[in-house]
Amino acid sequence: MLWFFFCVVVLLVGYFVYGKVVEKIFVINPNRDTPAYTMSDGVDYVPMSKGKIWLIQLLNIAGTGPIFGPILGALYGPVAMLWIVVGCIFAGAVHDYMCGMLSVRNSGASMPYLTGKYLGVLPKHFINILAVVLLVLVGVVFVASPAQLLSSITMDAFGTKTTNVASGTVFGMTKEGIIITWTTIIFAYYIIATLLPIDKIIGRIYPIFGGLLLFMSLGMTYGLVMNELGSAQSYFYGSMGGLSVESFFQNLQPKGDLPIWPLLLLTITCGALSGFHATQTPLMARCAMNESEGRFIFYGAMIAEGIIALIWCTVGLSFYPDLVSLQEAIVAGSPSKVVYDSSIAYLGVIGGVFAVLGVVVLPITSGDTAFRAARLIVAEFLNVEQRTLIKRLWIAIPLFVIGFIVSKVDFQILWRYFSWANQTVAVVMLWTAAGYLYRYHKFHWICTIPAVVMTAACATFLAYNKIGFELDYTLSLYVGAALTAIITIAFFLFVKRESIAGDPEALTNAKG
């Protein structure tokens, strides 16, 4: 547990130190009017306090990614926690801050517009399509995972007490029937939350959801501590030697078809770096009241998500006697089973149910804003105003129909496609932010370096994985390196630097 708390402290130090560095490089202007005032429409552009925005931002970005991803990442051992800390501070939080602040500077524009402005037309068209695909996948994934958890609670609360819960029924319905019922209810909520003004549902009930999230986070931390104190041996200090230097280097070696590079970086996504966040931050950029709030809202929310990821990675590493048992639990019931079993074991039935509900609200609150963001991106691309309800319906209904159809695909397959699409969007956003910094003579390496690393990871993953080209691992490494080199060279060739002295906009951006 000392390793867990050490990682949490490092994340917090990262917020106060590196977050301040990033803010200084960007150059904020507290005197500039934000889109919440200049474009106020009562629907999407609504001024809100920074505390409320921070909470909404956290709930928007923290779906099941910082829970399911770290549980799956725990299969690689303690090195997974290293990626969460490093990735969160130097990639994920920088990604979120730059996306949010660039949106503030560009009238609350979404990511495709930003990409088009700072990288060019072709990347803009690419990200327009990829972002909508990702958002639909997010919406679907974030329907399936809470539906599974809610069905487990329902079966335990009302179902027959059999050793195989799946064989029991509740009100004449099997577990599969209960999952379908919860899926329908969640989709219905998504439709309502997506169409109504942002302050009518999201701004009012999210504080309640935030309370559940806080209970889950503190409750599971308490459970981990009590489990540590009550165990003669633990994963971290027991015979497995989880923190030894040897174990770290062993975890850096390829394991059959699960090499740590690049799979770990695409397995643990939302807890370290997530392109999904680039679709969410503009929603809150449209509500921020001052540029000085950006570090707290965007960088800070990502650090909080990193802490959530650390909690569940630690659960994955310590709840089961060994990693084989963890793997068996995941195969038997997906990471949902790990969440449910560990919550009940650590906190008892009542406390465990509240902890599970804290997990449930994360994907639900991210899913509704995923569809909302998809609607806004499509509307921006088609130039369709969104103040009128009927015009919001024209875009929202087809998106929900597509989402419901995709929800029938196997969850494990969906997760693999989601992971690649998610990190690829993050790559484009990092290059976009790097393009902005490079264009206006700012220190672009804070975005360029993580962009290069993640470009190589995503390219290698697509070349190697079954959802891609299934190439030999060594060949995939060469392919990833070659594509990364080509993209990096293209970046420096085609992104032009502005003449600060002769361009009023360049001068304004350079000085904030």
Side-chain angles (χ1 to χ4, degrees):
M1 284 304 298
L2 291 177
W3 180 242
F4 165 76
F5 286 114
F6 172 77
C7 289
V8 171
V9 169
V10 173
L11 283 178
L12 294 176
V13 171
Y15 168 76
F16 288 105
V17 177
Y18 197 68
K20 192 67 176 178
V21 170
V22 174
E23 181 184 61
K24 187 174 182 179
I25 290 172
F26 181 82
V27 187
I28 61 172
N29 184 351
N31 297 318
R32 184 197 295 260
D33 288 334
T34 62
Y37 296 107
T38 60
M39 301 187 66
S40 179
D41 64 0
V43 178
D44 296 307
Y45 293 81
V46 180
M48 285 192 278
S49 67
K50 70 175 184 179
K52 180 179 287 188
I53 295 177
W54 179 87
L55 178 60
I56 296 174
Q57 171 74 1
L58 176 60
L59 289 168
N60 284 353
I61 65 176
T64 45
I67 299 172
F68 283 18
I71 289 174
L72 292 168
L75 293 171
Y76 290 97
V79 72
M81 300 178 76
L82 182 64
W83 164 236
I84 292 173
V85 173
V86 174
C88 187
I89 294 173
F90 297 104
V94 175
H95 168 282
D96 290 12
Y97 178 82
M98 293 300 299
C99 181
M101 294 306 296
L102 286 177
S103 183
V104 169
R105 285 283 174 88
N106 288 273
S107 303
S110 60
M111 181 186 169
Y113 173 87
L114 300 175
T115 300
K117 181 174 182 178
Y118 299 117
L119 291 184
V121 176
L122 288 179
K124 177 182 178 179
H125 291 326
F126 171 74
I127 202 60
N128 253 319
I129 297 171
L130 186 60
V132 173
V133 169
L134 171 63
L135 287 166
V136 172
L137 284 173
V138 167
V140 172
V141 168
F142 291 175
V143 166
S145 50
Q148 291 174 350
L149 288 169
L150 287 169
S151 68
S152 297
I153 294 176
T154 305
M155 291 297 294
D156 269 9
F158 302 104
T160 56
K161 301 300 182 181
T162 61
T163 53
N164 184 1
V165 177
S167 67
T169 61
V170 176
F171 305 124
M173 292 189 296
T174 63
K175 185 173 184 179
E176 288 72 20
I178 296 170
I179 291 176
I180 293 174
T181 301
W182 278 115
T183 299
T184 304
I185 292 172
I186 295 170
F187 259 120
Y189 165 75
Y190 282 1
I191 293 173
I192 296 171
T194 299
L195 295 176
L196 289 178
I198 196 166
D199 61 335
K200 299 304 180 185
I201 288 185
I202 293 175
R204 292 182 179 179
I205 68 173
Y206 271 33
I208 299 173
F209 288 165
L212 285 171
L213 171 62
L214 182 63
F215 178 87
M216 177 273 289
S217 302
L218 295 178
M220 292 307 293
T221 302
Y222 168 82
L224 286 167
V225 172
M226 292 299 101
N227 180 67
E228 175 75 21
L229 295 176
S231 300
Q233 284 188 330
S234 70
Y235 182 85
F236 294 112
Y237 300 105
S239 59
M240 295 182 67
L243 286 183
S244 68
V245 174
E246 181 182 358
S247 70
F248 267 98
F249 281 101
Q250 287 174 347
N251 281 313
L252 293 172
Q253 303 303 315
K255 302 174 184 178
D257 62 345
L258 295 174
I260 195 169
W261 172 268
L263 295 189
L264 179 61
L265 277 65
L266 280 90
T267 299
I268 300 179
T269 56
C270 297
L273 170 68
S274 172
F276 170 62
H277 298 185
T279 68
Q280 300 301 291
T281 50
L283 300 180
M284 293 299 96
R286 294 162 185 162
C287 301
M289 299 169 67
N290 194 288
E291 285 193 3
S292 63
E293 301 171 351
R295 182 165 65 98
F296 175 73
I297 294 171
F298 304 120
Y299 200 101
M302 182 60 207
I303 293 296
E305 183 177 284
I307 294 174
I308 294 172
L310 283 174
I311 291 172
W312 287 101
C313 187
T314 307
V315 169
L317 288 168
S318 61
F319 181 68
Y320 296 95
D322 50 52
L323 296 183
V324 174
S325 300
L326 172 61
Q327 176 68 54
E328 291 173 350
I330 292 173
V331 172
S334 83
S336 295
K337 178 175 174 56
V338 178
V339 170
Y340 187 77
D341 290 350
S342 61
S343 298
I344 298 297
Y346 284 160
L347 302 175
V349 175
I350 296 178
V353 167
F354 276 104
V356 171
L357 289 175
V359 173
V360 166
V361 302
L362 291 177
I364 290 179
T365 53
S366 296
D368 63 7
T369 52
F371 281 111
R372 187 183 196 91
R375 170 176 64 81
L376 291 171
I377 288 175
V378 173
E380 186 178 273
F381 180 75
L382 299 177
N383 196 27
V384 178
E385 62 90 7
Q386 293 293 281
R387 298 190 182 195
T388 308
L389 177 61
I390 189 66
K391 291 188 177 180
R392 298 203 292 271
L393 284 170
W394 287 350
I395 298 175
I397 290 178
L399 287 174
F400 280 111
V401 170
I402 294 171
F404 187 79
I405 294 172
V406 175
S407 69
K408 303 300 180 182
V409 178
D410 179 71
F411 181 82
Q412 297 298 329
I413 296 175
L414 281 174
W415 187 266
R416 287 195 289 269
Y417 280 103
F418 157 72
S419 295
W420 178 81
N422 189 41
Q423 297 303 66
T424 301
V425 170
V427 165
V428 177
M429 185 60 237
L430 284 168
W431 281 118
T432 299
Y436 165 81
L437 296 174
Y438 182 75
R439 179 177 180 178
Y440 295 118
H441 302 263
K442 300 183 181 183
F443 190 73
H444 65 92
W445 294 108
I446 60 169
C447 293
T448 304
I449 291 175
V452 169
V453 172
M454 291 309 301
T455 299
C458 290
T460 305
F461 179 88
L462 189 63
Y464 175 71
N465 200 266
K466 292 180 180 178
I467 68 168
F469 298 98
E470 294 189 79
L471 301 179
D472 172 75
Y473 179 65
T474 302
L475 178 59
S476 298
L477 293 175
Y478 287 121
V479 170
L483 286 175
T484 302
I486 292 171
I487 292 172
T488 304
I489 292 171
F491 172 81
F492 287 105
L493 286 177
F494 294 108
V495 176
K496 297 181 179 179
R497 289 196 163 189
E498 300 290 344
S499 174
I500 300 297
D503 186 343
E505 181 185 3
L507 182 61
T508 299
N509 280 291
K511 295 183 176 180

